[in-house]
Amino acid sequence: MRELELLKNGAGEFNIALNDDQVENFRIYLELLTEFNSHTNLVSSVEAETVIAKHFLDSLAIGLAHKEINLNQQLSLIDIGTGGGFPGIPLLIAFSSWKLCAVDSVAKKLEFIKILAEKLGITNRIEIVPARAEELARLPEKREGFDLAVTRAVAKLNVISEYCLPFVKENGYFVSYKAKSAQSELEEAQNAISLLGGKCESVLKYSLTGEEQRNLVLIKKVASTPGKYPRRTGVPAKKPLVR
Ligand code: SAM
């Protein structure tokens, strides 16, 4: 399949070398996503080239952060609002020692993740949790329990910082995948990030075929998140922490 060459080459540009088994896992992912998307809305298009660029490669852009984060070690990852598995599942395929907690408030979407994990043989490296981030972050075993929190297309940065930073261990990272709005969202979220114990370390820019510029916002956890955050379910989105 020609598109899988695009995947391999594109991953290489993000410093990720995919072997044949990993490429095969992405092929299975694409196949199942196409099947599921006919009845459960996971992505807007299942055209192979689009899924590879817009979802698989976009998720792998974290490879650009290798100077800031040691990616070649065993890392525990939480993906908040994973939907069709982005960015968590491509990361789990690409980094074979990582473990993932895939979270979404819509249980139906996680049904897809469950079947996919079985097909890919990665059930021992994934925990699938139907929950709201605001509630899950209150559980002692989840709070400040992860090396990395990632999220894409869930909400603005001041809102997702409140969802994600409580899960990150000190010295870990919250990595937010953003479109070109990254800079303005970051300005708006500076105070929230600092209240939650984070510090923006860098914004890495990249581009994907047919897409506008994308950004990875890397926020380091420099202090523990105060116990009052996240606020009650729905409050972070309704009343985002302000400047
Ligand atoms: N991250 C995926 C992607 O980039 O394709 C899915 C993005 S989708 C637009 C947003 C997802 O976030 C939805 O599946 C929704 O159910 C989930 N979500 C929104 N707010 C959430 C919350 N507070 N806790 C958990 N999941 C949430």
Side-chain angles (χ1 to χ4, degrees):
M1 199 178 179
R2 188 184 63 85
E3 291 86 358
L4 293 173
E5 273 308 302
L6 289 179
L7 173 70
K8 225 172 158 168
N9 295 338
E13 287 178 25
F14 294 144
N15 313 304
I16 294 174
L18 296 175
N19 63 31
D20 290 347
D21 289 346
Q22 289 165 320
V23 171
E24 171 61 9
N25 279 345
F26 277 107
R27 192 197 60 74
I28 295 169
Y29 193 172
L30 174 62
E31 193 176 81
L32 196 69
L33 187 69
T34 306
E35 189 187 317
F36 246 76
N37 214 54
S38 61
H39 53 82
T40 304
N41 185 24
L42 297 167
V43 289
S44 54
S45 163
V46 287
E47 199 249 326
E49 225 169 292
T50 307
V51 172
I52 285 171
K54 205 172 163 180
H55 302 296
F56 293 170
L57 287 174
D58 191 29
S59 300
L60 297 182
I62 205 168
L64 292 172
H66 67 104
K67 289 202 187 96
E68 290 82 0
I69 309 172
N70 179 2
L71 302 169
N72 294 318
Q73 59 179 332
Q74 199 179 321
L75 292 176
S76 55
L77 178 74
I78 186 163
D79 182 6
I80 298 295
T82 193
F86 307 111
I89 299 285
L91 295 177
L92 208 58
I93 296 174
F95 295 93
S96 49
S97 67
W98 290 16
K99 290 198 165 163
L100 170 69
C101 179
V103 180
D104 204 288
S105 49
V106 178
K108 198 169 145 203
K109 297 194 180 188
L110 293 177
E111 198 47 41
F112 167 72
I113 303 292
K114 187 168 169 272
I115 295 170
L116 177 63
E118 278 158 15
K119 275 200 189 274
L120 298 179
I122 53 170
T123 49
N124 57 337
R125 293 196 290 127
I126 187 168
E127 185 189 6
I128 300 169
V129 185
R132 295 271 316 192
E134 301 94 309
E135 284 155 30
L136 197 66
R138 300 246 155 243
L139 298 187
E141 67 271 25
K142 293 285 182 280
R143 195 170 180 93
E144 307 205 321
F146 297 88
D147 301 308
L148 275 181
V150 291
T151 191
R152 189 185 80 158
V154 171
K156 284 172 85 175
L157 198 54
N158 49 6
V159 177
I160 50 173
S161 294
E162 191 167 351
Y163 291 166
C164 292
L165 275 166
F167 290 106
V168 182
K169 292 179 191 168
E170 268 182 65
N171 294 316
Y173 280 84
F174 161 38
V175 178
S176 170
Y177 290 68
K178 282 281 162 196
K180 62 176 183 198
S181 59
Q183 206 51 49
S184 61
E185 287 192 33
L186 189 56
E187 279 161 30
E188 203 177 40
Q190 283 297 358
N191 190 39
I193 293 169
S194 134
L195 283 174
L196 294 157
K199 183 175 183 292
C200 180
E201 205 160 73
S202 41
V203 179
L204 305 177
K205 299 184 189 319
Y206 61 99
S207 53
L208 301 164
T209 320
E211 290 285 306
E212 290 183 335
Q213 186 201 290
R214 309 258 322 141
N215 299 275
L216 273 187
V217 182
L218 304 188
I219 297 169
K220 188 167 185 177
K221 185 83 175 261
V222 291
S224 185
T225 303
K228 61 180 172 181
Y229 302 118
R231 291 165 295 163
R232 275 185 298 113
T233 294
V235 177
K238 264 190 228 116
K239 292 185 183 172
L241 294 167
V242 286
R243 266 180 242 240

